[in-house]
């Protein structure tokens, strides 16, 4: 068994190591900070991780937990125990977003550590394989393992099996079955996690109003259930109520301000609601909170610069853009993204010549811009083109966005708003109809080729379209499907499987419960 102790105090590190060795754990590594911890965890499959929350300067224990979970570099069946001498409110609430397996408050003795570790490892011994299956996105296997364990009688982990089965069903997009599990659990006891699962099942089925009601009741019962706020805000956005989404996220941030993702979402919604002071503050917090984290993103800098420029602080925005060029030097799309935002800022400052100079550095590939740039910034760019009477450029850019996102009603509504804001509503509606017809024709051509048995040409058609339109879900799913069909006919090969994974990953990022995605994942697994 291998263990890692993370603590910035040498004496404490040695004390915890001694305790672990006295418990029979012979392979114990020690590190003093997040950087060393992340490097170790990425290389060594630890069974036990004892992590102090407060690590001095740099990232704290909570941020390490976030990163190892998000990157999937910690074993799913490892025991991750957070150690702290400070049960401060922010830390505890932050931990609700990313739960460790247990907590230990300093000072503690070996006997207490032994009990906690044994308790966590006993539980992991029963559910660890299921968590591993979920981590590897093998949801069918996770459900099978849950059912096998539930078939026995009197397991003390029956609730865990049902919870994990409900989670797997949600990830498979089997909303009704997940709803049934969580409903039956709530008939036995008002578990808050089951209520949360029920809300997700309603949301998964597209019942956003019913889901919102469930999440509101959950928050009324426990105002520290932070992920319920996030889900509730998404429901409001899906229903077109961005002001409601902002109120919910504002409540969440007032209680737990450390989540970078939540600060970003709040900033986007506040900007959409024209609450520029709030958006500026939130994007600035996202930049600060993520500075020493893997979550550090160029988008936060450009979103902040764009917001500052809209709020009359264009000069400060230009300073920030220059800082981004240094911070993200060598990063893909850096030149394009900073040039676009720089152009928008100069436009706000009334300097058309410099705005055009920056735009000249972007290039004229609308498909590339629409697929690589953050959506809101691309919409701003199209609006800026219209304001400069560069209608043709704007139409090309908005057309490329539509080709990528024509199935997403929220995005189409945002595109329609750009047209309406510039008195081009009729032309916008015509373009939306034209693009939808174009994409439908493309998919129909591919389907016809498949029906004719011409898989090679179908692959060529969908592959070219998918690489040109990486955000188009239908095109990427069809591209994956025809490659799978080819391998079913001729046999699986490494290149084909890599292609399939790439196409499916593009859809998984935005729509993990997509029914066709789930079906194709199963087909790919069987190859």
């Amino acid at each position: 068994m291998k263990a890692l102790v993370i603590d910035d105090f040498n004496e404490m590190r040695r004390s915890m190591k001694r305790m672990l060795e006295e418990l029979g754990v012979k392979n114990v590594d020690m590190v003093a900070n997040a950087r060393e911890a992340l490097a170790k965890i990425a290389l060594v499959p630890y069974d036990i991780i004892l992590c102090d929350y407060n690590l001095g300067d740099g990232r704290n224990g909570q941020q390490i937990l976030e990163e190892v979970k998000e990157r999937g570099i910690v074993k799913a069946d490892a025991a991750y125990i957070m150690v702290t001498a400070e049960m401060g409110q922010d830390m505890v609430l932050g931990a609700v977003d990313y739960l460790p397996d247990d907590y230990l408050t300093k000072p503690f003795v070996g006997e207490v550590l032994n009990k906690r570790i044994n308790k966590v490892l006993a539980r992991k011994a029963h559910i660890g394989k299921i968590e591993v299956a979920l981590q590897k996105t093998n949801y069918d296997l996770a459900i099978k393992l849950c059912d096998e364990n539930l078939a026995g009688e009197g397991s003390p982990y029956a609730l865990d099996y049902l919870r994990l089965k409900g989670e797997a069903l949600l990830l498979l997009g089997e909303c009704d079955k997940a709803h049934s599990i969580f409903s039956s659990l709530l008939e036995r006891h008002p578990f808050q996690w089951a209520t949360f699962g029920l809300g997700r099942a309603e949301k998964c089925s597209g019942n956003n109003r019913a889901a919102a009601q469930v999440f509101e009741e959950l928050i009324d019962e426990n105002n520290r259930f932070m992920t319920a706020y996030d889900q509730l805000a998404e429901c409001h956005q899906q229903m077109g109520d961005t002001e409601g989404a902002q109120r919910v996220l504002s409540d969440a941030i007032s209680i737990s301000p450390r989540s970078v993702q939540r600060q970003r979402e709040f900033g986007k919604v506040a900007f959409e609601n024209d609450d520029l002071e709030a958006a500026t503050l939130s994007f600035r917090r996202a930049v600060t909170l993520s500075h020493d984290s893997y979550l550090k993103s160029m988008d936060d800098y450009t979103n902040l610069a764009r917001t500052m420029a809209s709020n009359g602080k264009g000069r400060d925005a230009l300073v920030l853009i220059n800082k981004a060029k240094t911070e993200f030097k060598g990063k893909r799309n850096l030149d394009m993204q900073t040039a676009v935002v720089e152009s928008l800022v100069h436009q706000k400052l009334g300097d058309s010549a410099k705005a055009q100079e920056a735009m000249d550095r972007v290039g004229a590939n609308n498909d590339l811009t629409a697929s690589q740039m953050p959506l809101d910034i691309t919409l701003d760019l199209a609006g800026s083109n219209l304001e400069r009477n560069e209608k043709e450029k704007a139409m090309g850019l908005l057309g490329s966005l539509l080709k990528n996102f024509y199935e997403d009603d929220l995005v189409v509504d945002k595109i329609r708003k750009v047209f309406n804001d510039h008195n081009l509503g009729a032309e916008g509606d015509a373009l939306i109809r034209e693009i939808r017809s174009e994409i439908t024709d493309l998919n129909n051509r591919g389907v016809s080729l498949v029906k004719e048995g011409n898989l090679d040409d179908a692959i060529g058609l969908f592959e070219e379209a998918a690489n040109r339109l990486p955000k188009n879900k239908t095109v990427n799913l069809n591209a994956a499907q025809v490659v799978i069909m080819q391998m079913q006919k001729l046999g699986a090969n490494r290149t084909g499987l890599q292609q399939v994974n790439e196409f499916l990953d593009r859809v998984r990022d935005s729509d993990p419960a997509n029914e066709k995605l789930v079906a194709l994942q199963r087909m790919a697994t069987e190859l």
Side-chain angles (χ1 to χ4, degrees):
M1 189 166 288
K2 296 175 181 176
L4 177 65
V5 174
I6 310 166
D7 198 301
D8 56 330
F9 286 101
N10 183 44
E11 190 174 334
M12 193 63 201
R13 285 197 302 275
R14 293 187 178 284
S15 172
M16 286 195 280
K17 181 180 181 183
R18 276 197 304 275
M19 288 185 207
L20 286 165
E21 288 173 341
E22 287 169 6
L23 298 176
V25 182
K26 299 303 179 188
N27 297 312
V28 183
D29 291 330
M30 300 185 296
V31 294
N33 56 52
R35 181 179 54 77
E36 294 173 354
L38 291 165
K40 278 284 189 185
I41 294 170
L43 291 174
V44 182
Y46 291 108
D47 304 289
I48 301 168
I49 298 174
L50 297 182
C51 182
D52 188 36
Y53 174 76
N54 192 344
L55 296 172
D57 294 337
R59 281 169 283 186
N60 58 38
Q62 176 65 22
Q63 290 169 310
I64 296 174
L65 176 60
E66 289 176 12
E67 180 159 347
V68 298
K69 292 280 186 182
E70 288 285 335
R71 290 173 57 193
I73 58 175
V74 65
K75 285 172 56 181
D77 55 353
Y80 195 110
I81 298 175
M82 190 78 80
V83 180
T84 180
E86 298 175 5
M87 296 301 287
Q89 192 180 47
D90 286 354
M91 187 281 291
V92 174
L93 292 169
V96 173
D97 287 329
Y98 301 91
L99 284 172
D101 293 299
D102 208 341
Y103 298 93
L104 271 172
T105 305
K106 296 177 185 175
F108 55 84
V109 295
E111 184 181 355
V112 172
L113 178 62
N114 189 27
K115 283 183 179 177
R116 295 295 180 87
I117 288 176
N118 284 337
K119 181 181 173 185
V120 172
L121 291 181
R123 180 170 168 271
K124 291 284 184 180
H126 285 82
I127 68 170
K129 288 183 179 177
I130 303 169
E131 292 185 326
V132 169
L134 286 172
Q135 188 182 53
K136 293 183 176 178
T137 69
N138 194 341
Y139 307 131
D140 289 322
L141 176 60
I143 292 170
K144 179 173 177 283
L145 292 171
C146 288
D147 286 339
E148 287 175 356
N149 284 289
L150 287 166
E153 291 186 1
S155 170
Y157 303 102
L159 288 176
D160 284 308
Y161 299 139
L162 288 167
R163 176 178 58 80
L164 292 168
K165 183 177 178 180
E167 176 69 23
L169 288 167
L170 283 173
L171 292 167
L172 279 170
E174 298 192 14
C175 320
D176 292 343
K177 289 181 181 177
H179 191 286
S180 175
I181 285 179
F182 291 122
S183 295
S184 64
L185 282 163
L186 288 170
E187 288 174 4
R188 293 163 56 180
H189 187 82
F191 302 108
Q192 290 184 350
W193 53 264
T195 304
F196 184 65
L198 183 69
R200 289 176 65 201
E202 292 283 9
K203 184 163 168 277
C204 169
S205 298
N207 303 324
N208 286 304
R209 195 164 300 282
Q213 186 174 344
V214 173
F215 294 131
E216 284 169 357
E217 289 171 359
L218 183 54
I219 292 168
D220 285 343
E221 187 178 342
N222 178 4
N223 73 344
R224 296 181 177 184
F225 205 123
M226 305 315 299
T227 46
Y229 289 89
D230 300 330
Q231 294 286 323
L232 177 57
E234 286 183 20
C235 289
H236 280 291
Q237 286 184 290
Q238 290 294 328
M239 293 188 289
D241 179 12
T242 54
E243 291 184 356
Q246 184 175 342
R247 279 196 303 274
V248 171
L249 290 171
S250 176
D251 289 345
I253 286 172
S254 69
I255 299 169
S256 176
R258 291 179 178 273
S259 167
V260 174
Q261 300 284 15
R262 192 172 296 121
Q263 292 286 358
R264 285 175 182 157
E265 287 307 311
F266 180 87
K268 291 176 186 175
V269 173
F271 187 91
E272 196 170 340
N273 290 331
D274 208 26
D275 188 349
L276 299 177
E277 288 293 339
T280 300
L281 181 61
S282 206
F283 283 132
R284 194 186 300 282
R285 283 175 174 166
V287 167
T288 303
L289 287 169
S290 65
H291 188 263
D292 290 317
S293 155
Y294 80 106
L295 291 169
K296 183 177 179 179
S297 169
M298 188 166 54
D299 290 0
D300 292 334
Y301 283 70
T302 51
N303 273 323
L304 177 57
R306 163 177 170 254
T307 308
M308 292 164 75
S310 298
N311 203 21
K313 296 174 182 173
R315 299 294 171 196
D316 293 338
L318 290 174
V319 172
L320 185 66
I321 292 168
N322 283 330
K323 185 177 180 184
K325 290 177 182 174
T326 303
E327 295 274 335
F328 298 95
K329 188 175 182 180
K331 196 87 172 175
R332 185 178 176 227
N333 295 332
L334 172 66
D335 292 341
M336 178 194 290
Q337 191 161 335
T338 52
V340 168
V341 178
E342 204 173 316
S343 174
L344 292 171
V345 174
H346 283 303
Q347 190 70 19
K348 292 283 184 187
L349 288 169
D351 192 337
S352 298
K354 287 190 175 178
Q356 186 58 53
E357 184 182 317
M359 278 310 303
D360 290 342
R361 303 202 306 269
V362 176
N365 189 330
N366 288 324
D367 285 343
L368 186 64
T369 304
S371 62
Q372 300 295 333
M373 292 288 297
L375 173 67
D376 291 334
I377 289 177
T378 310
L379 290 169
D380 273 2
L381 178 60
S384 176
N385 285 335
L386 289 171
E387 287 166 12
R388 294 203 305 271
N389 295 317
E390 295 183 339
K391 185 177 172 183
E392 187 177 346
K393 287 183 180 178
M395 296 295 275
L397 201 52
L398 293 170
S400 291
L401 277 177
L402 283 165
K403 289 175 188 174
N404 275 281
F405 297 101
Y406 81 109
E407 299 155 292
D408 189 327
D409 290 339
L410 289 178
V411 175
V412 172
D413 284 345
K414 287 185 175 184
I415 293 171
R416 188 177 278 116
K417 184 175 184 301
V418 174
F419 284 115
N420 290 338
D421 287 347
H422 295 84
N423 299 316
L424 294 169
E427 287 185 62
D429 288 340
L431 183 64
I432 291 168
R433 287 194 297 273
E434 178 187 326
I435 297 297
R436 282 181 166 157
S437 174
E438 180 184 331
I439 298 297
T440 301
D441 288 346
L442 185 151
N443 285 314
N444 288 342
R445 285 204 308 279
V447 171
S448 295
L449 289 169
V450 172
K451 287 180 178 175
E452 293 166 5
N454 194 346
L455 281 178
D456 287 339
D457 284 355
I459 290 172
L461 177 75
F462 282 125
E463 188 178 22
E464 185 278 329
N467 289 333
R468 185 164 47 86
L469 307 171
K471 302 289 178 65
N472 186 307
K473 287 187 283 190
T474 298
V475 165
N476 278 278
L477 289 171
N478 283 339
Q481 185 172 6
V482 291
V483 176
I484 288 173
M485 291 172 72
Q486 183 81 304
M487 287 193 286
Q488 287 174 330
K489 184 179 176 183
L490 303 176
N493 60 78
R494 183 185 296 272
T495 302
L497 290 171
Q498 285 176 341
Q499 277 184 306
V500 169
N501 284 332
E502 185 177 344
F503 295 139
L504 296 184
D505 281 346
R506 293 172 182 173
V507 181
R508 194 178 292 115
D509 286 344
S510 60
D511 190 7
N514 184 294
E515 286 185 22
K516 186 167 181 177
L517 167 69
V518 173
L520 291 172
Q521 284 176 163
R522 284 175 174 154
M523 293 167 68
T525 303
E526 291 169 359
L527 284 170

